[in-house]
């Protein structure tokens, strides 16, 4: 057991950053890749951090890492600590950023994570202005290629190497109304985005590998619309795990639903754009906070 914490003990920022990265990425190997360290180095950081705080932070199970109550507390405070450190360094480098940033975002990103990104960015950079376009990732990337957008937040379900910056990865899930029976007499009812959509493609491909009949009964270009269809019991839809909210239950393999691929969220930015770099960093934090909150909801 780690020794009891003393008043003279101080948190090490490098160790704290490793701890947050392990939680966000779900493991030591993934965290090591992101931090450009070896897994043993990351493990050493966690061990020394636990010695500093005097208690265990991570519980290792056969399936995954889990936060202890103390780890839960440190995660919440640690995010704020690193945010403040980053803000101080940004201010010391020359103050808030100025200028206009043209952003493109997929509809689900705009509705779920972007508000957190914009709130934090506004706090740090009150003199910067933003122009937002919401659409399909592929269309937004084409606009970016024509010089109409500086930064695009989008998603893919393929593990093919991308030219973008990977923000995070998380499972896709089937969801339906929490308190409604699901009838599939005439085929499983689906609510999907119009083509092209990676969520729709993933759902159709997964169901195509089964013998279950299905049909599209609801189509909307709005994530809120698809989730409303699911919450009302009208149809099943596919969302990223961290997007699940009250009123929706997960349909798992036990219910006969096929496994879905992971959704990979990216930022596609123009090179050497200071405001883009700042926003990408904030977006990655926002995704981590949302997924961690969902982890606690599922616990």
């Amino acid at each position: 057991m780690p020794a009891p914490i003393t008043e003279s003990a101080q948190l090490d920022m490098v160790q704290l950053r490793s701890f947050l990265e392990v939680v966000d990425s779900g493991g030591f190997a993934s965290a090591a890749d992101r931090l450009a360290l070896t897994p043993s180095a990351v493990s050493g950081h966690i061990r020394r951090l636990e010695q500093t705080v005097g208690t265990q932070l991570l519980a290792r199970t056969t399936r995954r890492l889990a936060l202890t109550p103390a780890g839960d507390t440190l995660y919440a405070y640690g995010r704020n600590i690193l945010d403040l450190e980053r803000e101080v360094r940004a201010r010391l480098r020359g103050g808030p950023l100025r200028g206009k940033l043209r952003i493109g975002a997929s509809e689900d990103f705009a509705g779920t994570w972007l508000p957190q990104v914009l709130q934090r960015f506004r706090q740090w950079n009150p003199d910067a202005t933003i122009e937002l376009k919401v659409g399909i990732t592929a269309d937004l990337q084409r606009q970016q290629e024509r010089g109409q957008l500086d930064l695009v937040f989008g998603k893919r379900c393929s593990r093919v190497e991308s030219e973008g910056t990977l923000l995070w990865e998380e499972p896709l899930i089937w969801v339906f109304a929490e308190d409604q029976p699901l009838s599939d007499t005439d085929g499983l009812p689906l609510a999907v985005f119009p083509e092209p959509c990676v969520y729709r493609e993933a759902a159709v491909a997964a169901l195509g590998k089964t013998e279950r009949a299905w049909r599209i009964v609801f189509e909307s270009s709005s994530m809120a619309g698809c989730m409303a269809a699911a919450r009302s019991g009208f149809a099943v839809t596919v969302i990223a795990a961290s997007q699940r909210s009250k009123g929706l239950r997960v349909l798992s393999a036990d219910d006969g639903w096929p496994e879905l691929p992971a959704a990979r969220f990216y930022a596609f930015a123009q090179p050497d754009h200071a405001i883009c770099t700042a926003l990408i960093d904030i977006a990655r934090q926002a995704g981590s906070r949302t997924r961690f909150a969902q982890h606690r909801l599922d616990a």
Side-chain angles (χ1 to χ4, degrees):
M1 290 293 292
I5 191 169
T6 64
E7 291 185 3
S8 60
Q10 296 182 357
L11 292 176
D12 182 285
M13 291 297 102
V14 174
Q15 296 169 10
L16 183 60
R17 189 171 287 107
S18 291
F19 167 69
L20 296 177
E21 196 61 62
V22 167
V23 176
D24 291 344
S25 61
F28 288 89
S30 299
D33 287 341
R34 290 185 180 275
L35 295 169
L37 297 171
T38 63
S40 61
V42 173
S43 180
H45 289 170
I46 303 302
R47 184 172 59 255
R48 290 192 291 275
L49 184 60
E50 289 180 328
Q51 292 171 349
T52 298
V53 300
T55 188
Q56 186 179 8
L57 300 172
L58 295 171
R60 295 158 180 81
T61 68
T62 56
R63 296 181 60 188
R64 60 180 175 83
L65 290 171
L67 284 167
T68 64
D72 194 335
T73 299
L74 182 60
Y75 183 93
Y77 279 101
R79 272 286 163 219
N80 291 330
I81 290 170
L82 289 189
D83 283 352
L84 287 172
E85 182 207 28
R86 187 176 291 106
E87 182 176 358
V88 168
R89 286 191 281 107
R91 301 242 178 221
L92 291 176
R93 284 198 302 264
L97 299 168
R98 292 176 172 81
K100 181 178 182 180
L101 183 65
R102 300 167 300 171
I103 299 177
S106 60
E107 200 274 343
D108 53 346
F109 195 103
T112 305
W113 300 283
L114 192 59
Q116 300 176 55
V117 176
L118 296 181
Q119 181 185 46
R120 183 58 57 86
F121 186 76
R122 180 66 174 173
Q123 291 172 353
W124 292 3
N125 307 281
D127 296 326
T129 61
I130 288 178
E131 176 184 307
L132 175 67
K133 290 186 178 180
V134 177
I136 297 171
T137 301
D139 292 341
L140 295 171
Q141 284 188 274
R142 282 191 285 270
Q143 293 181 49
Q144 186 180 41
E145 291 172 358
R146 294 194 293 267
Q148 298 171 349
L149 294 172
D150 302 305
L151 175 63
V152 170
F153 291 118
K155 61 185 179 295
R156 292 179 178 172
C157 291
S158 168
R159 285 190 172 273
V160 176
E161 288 298 319
S162 170
E163 69 277 13
T165 299
L166 178 62
L167 300 174
W168 71 86
E169 179 178 339
E170 62 178 291
L172 288 178
I173 56 174
W174 306 95
V175 292
F176 188 66
E178 203 167 48
D179 58 354
Q180 298 287 331
L182 174 58
S183 173
D184 60 354
T185 304
D186 299 320
L188 298 168
L190 296 182
V192 294
F193 273 64
E195 294 180 319
C197 169
V198 294
Y199 287 2
R200 176 178 179 143
E201 292 168 3
V204 171
L207 287 171
K209 297 177 182 178
T210 72
E211 296 181 356
R212 301 187 70 173
W214 56 273
R215 60 196 180 101
I216 294 174
V217 300
F218 185 93
E219 189 172 286
S220 172
S221 58
S222 164
M223 177 59 69
C226 289
M227 291 177 72
R231 194 174 287 111
S232 69
F234 190 80
V236 174
T237 196
V238 172
I239 59 174
S242 64
Q243 292 176 290
R244 184 166 67 91
S245 56
K246 290 183 179 179
L248 293 173
R249 61 185 170 98
V250 178
L251 302 176
S252 65
D254 294 338
D255 302 300
W257 290 84
E259 183 179 356
L260 292 164
R264 296 163 65 85
F265 291 88
Y266 288 89
F268 305 92
Q270 298 289 2
D272 302 322
H273 196 304
I275 306 182
C276 285
T277 302
L279 255 178
I280 288 172
D281 197 23
I282 296 170
R284 198 163 159 240
Q285 294 174 47
S288 297
R289 282 191 292 270
T290 303
R291 287 179 294 124
F292 180 65
Q294 185 64 43
H295 163 73
R296 288 188 290 186
L297 177 66
D298 291 336

